[in-house]
Each structure stands twice: as C-alpha cells, then as structure tokens.
Amino acid sequence: MTGIARYFFTGRPPANQHQTWKDNYIAYWRSHYSPALSLVSGYLVYTSIASQSNGKGQLPMVLVLISIFAWLVTPIIFSPLQRWNLIRQDLREFNSFIISGAGMLETDLPEVVARGTRGTVRSLYECGLAEEINAWEACPLPVLVTCLLAKVALGAYLLLVLPAEVLDFLPAFLVALALSWVVVLGYFLAGLSNVFLVASFLIWPAAVPLAHLVLGSRFSDPSFWTRTPEYAISLSVFLFALGLAKDLALTSCRVMHSLLPNKRARGHLLHECIRACFVYFFVHQRQFVEAYAVLGVNLAASTCIASLDYLCSSCHTWFLLNSELARTKHGQKYMEKRATFFELENAWQPDFWASESGHDDSQQTEPDIATHVAP
C-alpha cells in the first residue's frame, strides 16, 4: 500500500507489431521482472540451505518456479514476429538503453520526471530514477512513515531470530560498501563518469575472495561451499539493511521537504536527495544487474521461439496472429510485392457482395498481383 494510484500498462500493441525488449522492460519491469528476480534470489538462498543436507526435506517449489518462468518469459512469448534480424536489433537497442547516460545530469531532473510520467524514458538510469522520484514525491508522508516503521520492526525481528554466526559475515559486505561509496563519490566528482559507476558495483564480486582478510579463518572453515548459505543469507540481510537506511534517509528528506516554505526550492532539494540515494544506496546498480539478467533471458527465449517458428512452419506466428501471416516465409515481408494469400487463392471465386450491388460477376478477372503492393 503506497497511496499512489498510477496506470500500469498491461495490454499489447497492435497485434502484428513486434514489441521490442526495451519496450517490454519499460512496461513490465515493476510488475514482472523485478518480482521474478526477487523470487530467484529467495529460491537460490533456500536451495543453498537445503543443499547442506543433501536435499533431504527440500520442497519442490513448483509454483514458485512457474511464477518465475511466467513473469520472465511471457512478455517474449506474447510478442509476435520473433525473427533473427529483430532479435539482433532488440539486443543492440536494449544494451544501448542499459548503458546510456541520458538523464544523469542535475539539469535533466525536470525532463526525467516528465518522461517518466509519459513513459518515454531514454535509459535505464532515467527509468529507475523517474520511478523513485514519483514514489517518494507522490506518496503521502504518513504512508512513508508507516512503511518505514514496519521495516524497522521486521529488521529487529531478523536480528532476534537469525543466528549470530550468520550475522558475523556482515562486516565483509560493510567493507565492500565503504569502498564502493568512495568510487560513487568519484562518480559525482568526475562529472558523472560511467567508468566510476560501473566500478562501483564491480567491487562487490571482489568482496568474496577478499573476505578472508575481514573474517579470518571463518571465511572457509570447514569449506567455502559449507559457508555458502551463511554468505547468501547475510547478503540478503545486508541488502535489506541498505534499503532500510535509504528509506530512513529519504523519509527524513521528505519531512524536511514539507517544512520548507518555498515550494520550488523544496521540490528541487527532494529530487537531489533522491538522485544521490539512487546511486549511493545501489538502487541503480542493482537495476543494472537485473536488466542484464533480463537481457539474457530475453535472448534465450527469443532464440528458442525463433528456432521453433523456423522449424515448425511458423507455429508461434500462427498461435499469436493467424494462419495468413504464418504462411509468410522467414526473411520476407507480408504483402511486400504481392497480394494476400487469401486474395490469391480466391481470385476466381464469385464476389457475393459485389453481385448484390449490381455488379456482373461474369466480368471478374484475375487481379493484377503487381498492383497489390503493401502501402
């Protein structure tokens, strides 16, 4: 419950129009992709814990796996015309969307908000920042405070129920966070250089092999594989605590925002606070990793569908559209240089509609195929 009633696009474009990966991400990242990847994280933690007992007592989690598959793959399944040239085009366009620096400047904030409202964002950064600004600016302050208190209560509960040996792994991630914040500071001081932004989350994979300098012998005692569940759980707790710290910082900014007399100045101050927290608390970095995970899933799903469509007489096109379009060969455009298949096959059959209008069916001749060029 956020108190925000926004319209979420859940429909489809015109039936015979290919939906690009970029458009799919913009339309479904909150309703499909983000929940699916959160379930993936929870499922991996559960699997790593269950593996310590050789899978004894492990539940199959069939409904969870079905939900993950459905949320990640259905936008591609219900996007028509999966062709090799379109897959290459989508791959280049979505990759450019992820790494684009559009909307990163301070002067771009008003345009970021406007584009987010219209759904015409130009980059992953702009997409995530526009959503963050809308959530923290439009949501009523009592709702934000209530959500913050609920998360604090949940965090206190986790501290009480989790074993201390799991929480002992948190200092390794705190060291990685401190190093990352130094790099993020360099990102702002160096004129928003993408080199620093990418380096800010490349530090995190290095945190695991360097953890023995912080944890000592517990890093791999008795083995690293045995300690994997502790690392997974402690990382989840750390990310929750990082999100809680971000919520606390932005709720405080929102309270100060409500106390300032100048409405324009307090709006700009709130946007600047959200923009800083968006990078310092690794919201954008996590969305960056998630977007590349979605790109990999899209590539695999589109390749499978395109292969199936090519080998099985365009069965996917027939399923989504109709048999008329399914008869168009790969590499060709429908009605590019000829009439429709229906017109070609029924050229000599009488036109009952024309006969009722007083036209003489006997004067019908075969249509000139050369004149039936698609507009």
Side-chain angles (χ1 to χ4, degrees):
M1 183 179 65
T2 62
I4 303 175
R6 294 184 64 199
Y7 172 74
F8 287 96
F9 174 78
T10 56
R12 291 173 56 192
N16 58 348
Q17 177 182 331
H18 175 72
Q19 185 81 333
T20 66
W21 297 358
K22 171 189 169 183
D23 294 335
N24 278 336
Y25 184 85
I26 294 173
Y28 303 119
W29 74 277
R30 284 200 64 198
S31 60
H32 289 63
Y33 295 133
S34 185
L37 294 173
S38 298
L39 279 180
V40 169
S41 301
Y43 180 76
L44 291 178
V45 171
Y46 173 76
T47 303
S48 64
I49 295 174
S51 63
Q52 301 302 312
S53 59
N54 297 323
K56 295 179 180 179
Q58 181 178 359
L59 298 176
M61 298 290 182
V62 175
L63 292 180
V64 173
L65 295 176
I66 292 176
S67 299
I68 292 172
F69 178 83
W71 278 335
L72 289 178
V73 178
T74 47
I76 296 297
I77 292 178
F78 289 98
S79 177
L81 304 177
Q82 297 294 338
R83 300 291 187 264
W84 300 114
N85 59 331
L86 292 177
I87 291 175
R88 290 191 295 268
Q89 177 182 325
D90 288 344
L91 182 61
R92 290 192 298 266
E93 182 186 19
F94 192 34
N95 182 67
S96 300
F97 172 79
I98 294 174
I99 65 177
S100 174
M104 289 186 173
L105 298 177
E106 179 181 352
T107 54
D108 293 336
L109 284 175
E111 186 176 3
V112 169
V113 176
R115 285 182 172 273
T117 304
R118 297 194 304 265
T120 57
V121 292
R122 300 165 294 178
S123 65
L124 178 69
Y125 183 93
E126 199 170 70
C127 180
L129 182 58
E131 182 61 36
E132 283 285 301
I133 291 176
N134 177 77
W136 286 98
E137 189 175 40
C139 190
L141 185 58
V143 176
L144 294 177
V145 174
T146 302
C147 292
L148 177 63
L149 294 177
K151 290 182 179 180
V152 169
L154 179 59
Y157 176 76
L158 289 176
L159 291 177
L160 291 175
V161 300
L162 287 177
E165 60 182 7
V166 173
L167 300 178
D168 287 345
F169 288 85
L170 290 178
F173 300 110
L174 289 174
V175 172
L177 176 65
L179 295 176
S180 297
W181 274 0
V182 174
V183 178
V184 171
L185 179 62
Y187 161 74
F188 283 106
L189 295 179
L192 308 180
S193 173
N194 269 338
V195 175
F196 287 93
L197 190 60
V198 173
S200 66
F201 64 86
L202 289 180
I203 292 176
W204 290 89
V208 175
L210 295 178
H212 69 278
L213 299 176
V214 181
L215 303 175
S217 60
R218 293 200 58 193
F219 167 74
S220 57
D221 183 24
S223 66
F224 178 78
W225 176 251
T226 306
R227 293 297 183 184
T228 301
E230 281 86 348
Y231 280 110
I233 297 173
S234 60
L235 177 60
S236 301
V237 173
F238 176 78
L239 293 177
F240 174 81
L242 194 63
L244 181 60
K246 185 204 76 170
D247 291 350
L248 179 61
L250 289 181
T251 303
S252 302
C253 290
R254 181 66 188 276
V255 172
M256 292 187 295
H257 163 270
S258 62
L259 297 177
L260 292 177
N262 191 330
K263 184 177 181 180
R264 182 176 180 180
R266 68 187 186 185
H268 179 73
L269 176 62
L270 180 62
H271 291 175
E272 279 295 317
C273 292
I274 296 173
R275 175 171 169 262
C277 292
F278 184 66
V279 180
Y280 270 106
F281 290 98
F282 298 96
V283 180
H284 174 62
Q285 290 88 328
R286 291 172 62 182
Q287 291 177 359
F288 189 93
V289 175
E290 290 176 356
Y292 269 111
V294 171
L295 185 146
V297 172
N298 288 349
L299 180 60
S302 298
T303 302
C304 293
I305 293 174
S307 302
L308 182 66
D309 216 38
Y310 182 78
L311 297 175
C312 299
S313 304
S314 300
C315 57
H316 180 256
T317 304
W318 170 83
F319 168 71
L320 282 185
L321 302 176
N322 51 56
S323 58
E324 175 78 13
L325 290 173
R327 294 173 63 179
T328 306
K329 296 181 180 180
H330 282 244
Q332 295 182 355
K333 295 182 180 179
Y334 179 64
M335 290 184 63
E336 184 177 16
K337 295 182 179 180
R338 56 186 300 170
T340 65
F341 295 109
F342 178 80
E343 290 174 332
L344 293 175
E345 293 173 353
N346 297 274
W348 297 98
Q349 295 183 7
D351 190 347
F352 295 103
W353 296 105
S355 62
E356 291 180 2
S357 301
H359 291 81
D360 186 5
D361 295 335
S362 62
Q363 299 298 323
Q364 284 191 340
T365 59
E366 184 177 3
D368 185 4
I369 295 177
T371 62
H372 288 260
V373 181

